[in-house]
Amino acid sequence: MIKHFFAAITGNVISLVGTLMAVVGLLLIVALLAMQSLGGFQGGAYLGILTFVVLPMAFLLGIVLVPLGMWWRKRQDAKLAAQGKETGHLPVFDLNQERTRGVLITFVALAIPVLAIAAGLTFKAVHYMDSTEFCGMACHKVMQPEYTAFQRSPHVRVGCAGCHIGPGAEWFVKAKISGSWQLIAVMFDLYPRPIETPVHSLRPASGTCEQCHWPTKFVGERLKVRTHFADDEQNTELKTALMVKVGGREGGASHGIHWHVDPNHVVRYLSDRSRQTIYEVELTNRTTGETKTFKSEEAAPAGTEWRTMDCIDCHNRPAHNFHSPQYEVDLALSEGRIDRTLPFIKREGVRILTESETAYDSHDAAREGIAAATKAFYAANYPDLAESEAVAQAGKALGDAYAWNIFPHMKVTWNLYPNHIGHKDSPGCFRCHDNKHKTDDGDKIGKKCGTCHNLVVEEESDSKLLQELGLQEPPPEPVATDAAPAGEAQATGTAN
Ligand code: HEC
Ligand code: HEC
Ligand code: HEC
Ligand code: HEC
Ligand code: HEC
């Protein structure tokens, strides 16, 4: 029976090719899966495409070819039989003939180096296709926003797979299957613009973040100094310093912000799909089994879902943080990419960036337009400065800020992807900590500033404390009019 089956599926050229394709395809799939699950060879979308799209297609084609060949052979045989000819199926190689042996040996001798080179090239190609670089570049148009933000993040050395796949075979296979689907979506232009956030299929943080970060590590308090610039002519530097109570587990109990991820209790919440509006929060103490439910005044509509809180409910932008125009201009000013002596550059920079949001259809057009708008402001108000290097540089820095955050082809605009840490540009912590989520007994998820941080200094331009700590330069002395001759020009600068 088996012998008969084997004879049938290899008994003619077409079926033989089909069988070979199916067998080799299957072997390669198994080999790739084994290689990937053994680690060291994590695999990006493209290896997934090879494993889950190209090879299975070869396999299926092979399977289809087998009966096709058998049917064709049967027809040929019938024809030959009718003509009274022999019905031999496959060509005969007679190894008794010296010529056949010669051809065979030459063939093998040539095939070995060719195969070796092909294998080496394939290996190199697959390896390259795996790199973050290729992954970001090849799906460039689709993932350009995330890839661009990723390159500015502290996780730039982690690679996409660290957070989007993590270790183990199960999530790897899931990622490959969805990766293959994504390829098809890109090919047929079916993907959503912008890519939807949050990612509902993201792996829970225990399999990703917690591979590198210890969830219960005691972090304690962290001093965060934020630099802003005012909208005035001098772009006055303002400092805010917060002692952020990150906390963590200490002496058997958790305190502070990382209290939420203590393994001893579970916080679950009911929200809309965007996770921006939270209707109910349920807190379970694992040791005592007690639960507490905080409800908002609004009743949950249909289409809401429960989720267990983990790192990503606060750190939703660890690798793709998109910023506001204010943030970008402040950053460029504090890093010196924009000259802070340019009058009103903070106010104008924010205005120009905000107005650019939907004004351009490519980064190149935006860079040009933004540089021209910057120059136009100075030409109209400070003609002496319009042609200066500082204005050209500011125009370039604003163009960069646009290109890092706005992606017209993906419809990514300012503040489209909110960051849940804090409460300044989006509700963030205040989605729950709003005094409005209450238990039946009247306990609420509080909004007291001191729960999360102590404000050490708020928007100060001349903080003695920060100056002592070396975190702020004292503001420039107003120059007296009777000072040295050089003082005159400066004095006009601070006149109003
Ligand atoms: C440090 C972890 C981390 C790394 C590294 C990382 N991501 Fe993400 N990524 C996330 C998280 C978390 C989200 C989901 C945010 C949410 O669901 O609210 C996300 C979301 C996304 C989204 C959905 C759109 C969005 O912005 O929410 C895309 C696309 C994406 N990532 C692509 C990539 C690519 C491409 C790379 C590599 C260049 C990468 N990610 C690297 C953590 C990471
Ligand atoms: C493969 C290891 C790895 C994974 C996975 C990973 N991280 Fe990190 N993370 C790091 C490293 C390394 C740093 C430190 C980078 C530095 O100091 O420059 C870091 C830094 C951070 C920081 C501090 C950033 C800052 O501004 O100082 C946060 C917050 C963070 N990670 C959160 C996350 C979250 C949330 C996830 C899961 C979505 C995650 N990480 C996944 C390795 C990882
Ligand atoms: C309730 C919100 C919340 C949750 C949940 C949360 N974090 Fe944080 N985490 C914060 C805040 C806020 C900070 C302070 C960062 C800041 O102010 O920029 C922080 C800081 C950090 C830092 C930087 C600490 C340092 O040394 O400066 C790391 C790393 C980090 N978190 C990792 C994690 C990981 C891993 C998880 C999940 C196990 C997690 N966080 C869960 C809110 C949260
Ligand atoms: C999904 C809802 C939710 C979100 C979002 C959330 N929290 Fe909480 N938080 C809670 C609940 C519930 C409690 C417990 C309140 C109680 O026990 O009375 C809590 C308690 C706290 C506590 C007190 C912990 C202690 O020591 O007892 C701090 C600090 C805190 N949250 C900070 C933050 C910060 C910072 C953010 C944003 C980065 C944040 N939370 C986001 C639900 C949330
Ligand atoms: C549930 C926790 C929580 C509560 C309550 C809270 N904050 Fe915050 N706040 C944060 C976090 C987290 C950040 C982000 C820290 C950072 O920038 O790293 C922040 C940032 C800030 C900043 C700095 C913004 C910036 O970037 O310049 C100010 C100012 C501030 N909070 C004021 C307040 C005031 C005033 C209150 C009381 C009404 C308050 N916060 C209540 C969690 C909280």
Side-chain angles (χ1 to χ4, degrees), residues 154-155 158 162-163 208-209 212-213 311-312 315 318:
H155 287 105
V158 169
C163 298
T208 55
C209 320
C212 301
H213 298 285
C311 318
I312 288 151
H315 297 282

Side-chain angles (χ1 to χ4, degrees), residues 132 135-136 143 146-147 150 155 158-164 195-200 202 275 312 315-320 322 417 420:
T132 303
C135 192
M143 302 228 194
E146 284 74 24
Y147 185 60
F150 166 78
H155 287 105
V158 169
C160 317
C163 298
H164 285 283
I195 295 180
E196 196 190 293
T197 200
V199 182
H200 288 263
L202 199 71
R275 299 186 191 147
I312 288 151
H315 297 282
N316 65 328
R317 303 265 135 223
H320 324 291
F322 299 97
Y417 291 119
H420 297 326

Side-chain angles (χ1 to χ4, degrees), residues 278-281 293-299 429-440 442-448:
I278 292 179
Y279 298 96
E280 278 181 43
V281 182
T293 308
F294 301 87
K295 290 187 183 158
S296 73
E297 288 140 24
E298 238 178 300
C429 312
F430 288 2
R431 290 172 302 154
C432 294
H433 287 268
D434 59 355
N435 282 340
K436 288 187 188 140
H437 288 77
K438 294 180 191 154
T439 61
D440 294 337
D443 273 4
K444 48 193 179 183
I445 309 180
K447 201 180 178 177
K448 270 215 300 278

Side-chain angles (χ1 to χ4, degrees), residues 244-245 254-260 267-269 278 280-283 292 294 309 313-314 420-422 428-433 443-446 451-452:
V244 183
K245 300 178 178 174
S254 284
H255 321 271
I257 298 167
H258 279 172
W259 162 92
H260 299 79
V267 179
R268 294 202 319 142
Y269 65 87
I278 292 179
E280 278 181 43
V281 182
E282 181 197 83
L283 167 63
K292 245 176 157 181
F294 301 87
M309 195 169 178
D313 293 288
C314 299
H420 297 326
I421 297 266
C429 312
F430 288 2
R431 290 172 302 154
C432 294
H433 287 268
D443 273 4
K444 48 193 179 183
I445 309 180
T451 314
C452 303

Side-chain angles (χ1 to χ4, degrees), residues 44-272:
Y46 286 80
L47 194 53
I49 289 157
L50 193 65
T51 323
F52 288 97
V53 180
V54 178
L55 290 175
M57 261 157 56
F59 174 76
L60 286 179
L61 189 66
I63 297 277
V64 172
L65 281 179
V66 171
L68 212 68
M70 282 157 69
W71 169 79
W72 171 78
R73 193 62 244 174
K74 223 170 157 170
R75 265 187 36 172
Q76 290 298 97
D77 280 357
K79 257 196 228 157
L80 290 172
Q83 294 165 4
K85 287 187 186 158
E86 214 189 317
T87 57
H89 291 171
L90 293 171
V92 179
F93 295 105
D94 186 355
L95 287 182
N96 290 317
Q97 286 188 10
E98 202 174 315
R99 220 178 87 103
T100 315
R101 289 201 303 273
V103 169
L104 191 70
I105 287 171
T106 321
F107 180 75
V108 171
L110 282 177
I112 289 172
V114 168
L115 276 179
I117 292 171
L121 282 178
T122 314
F123 184 78
K124 262 221 114 69
V126 166
H127 218 78
Y128 174 63
M129 285 193 289
D130 248 12
S131 61
T132 303
E133 179 200 356
F134 181 77
C135 192
M137 296 305 279
C139 310
H140 202 211
K141 279 203 122 64
V142 185
M143 302 228 194
Q144 190 193 17
E146 284 74 24
Y147 185 60
T148 307
F150 166 78
Q151 288 180 307
R152 300 173 79 196
S153 88
H155 287 105
V156 66
R157 313 203 59 166
V158 169
C160 317
C163 298
H164 285 283
I165 303 178
E170 184 200 345
W171 284 87
F172 185 80
V173 171
K174 276 192 197 173
K176 294 299 124 173
I177 292 170
S178 79
S180 312
W181 160 246
Q182 281 156 15
L183 177 85
I184 294 165
V186 171
M187 265 179 348
F188 296 102
D189 203 7
L190 297 172
Y191 56 89
R193 293 186 189 78
I195 295 180
E196 196 190 293
T197 200
V199 182
H200 288 263
S201 58
L202 199 71
R203 184 173 183 172
S206 55
T208 55
C209 320
E210 292 175 21
Q211 299 296 313
C212 301
H213 298 285
W214 198 240
T216 53
K217 181 184 167 212
F218 183 71
V219 175
E221 312 214 322
R222 280 280 184 272
L223 181 68
K224 303 270 172 183
V225 181
R226 304 286 177 226
T227 307
H228 305 296
F229 293 86
D231 276 353
D232 56 8
E233 187 173 19
Q234 292 78 33
N235 314 299
T236 304
E237 185 190 85
L238 304 171
K239 291 269 186 186
T240 294
L242 307 141
M243 198 57 118
V244 183
K245 300 178 178 174
V246 186
R249 202 178 166 87
E250 193 187 35
S254 284
H255 321 271
I257 298 167
H258 279 172
W259 162 92
H260 299 79
V261 283
D262 185 296
N264 269 343
H265 48 240
V266 184
V267 179
R268 294 202 319 142
Y269 65 87
L270 181 68
S271 74
D272 65 341

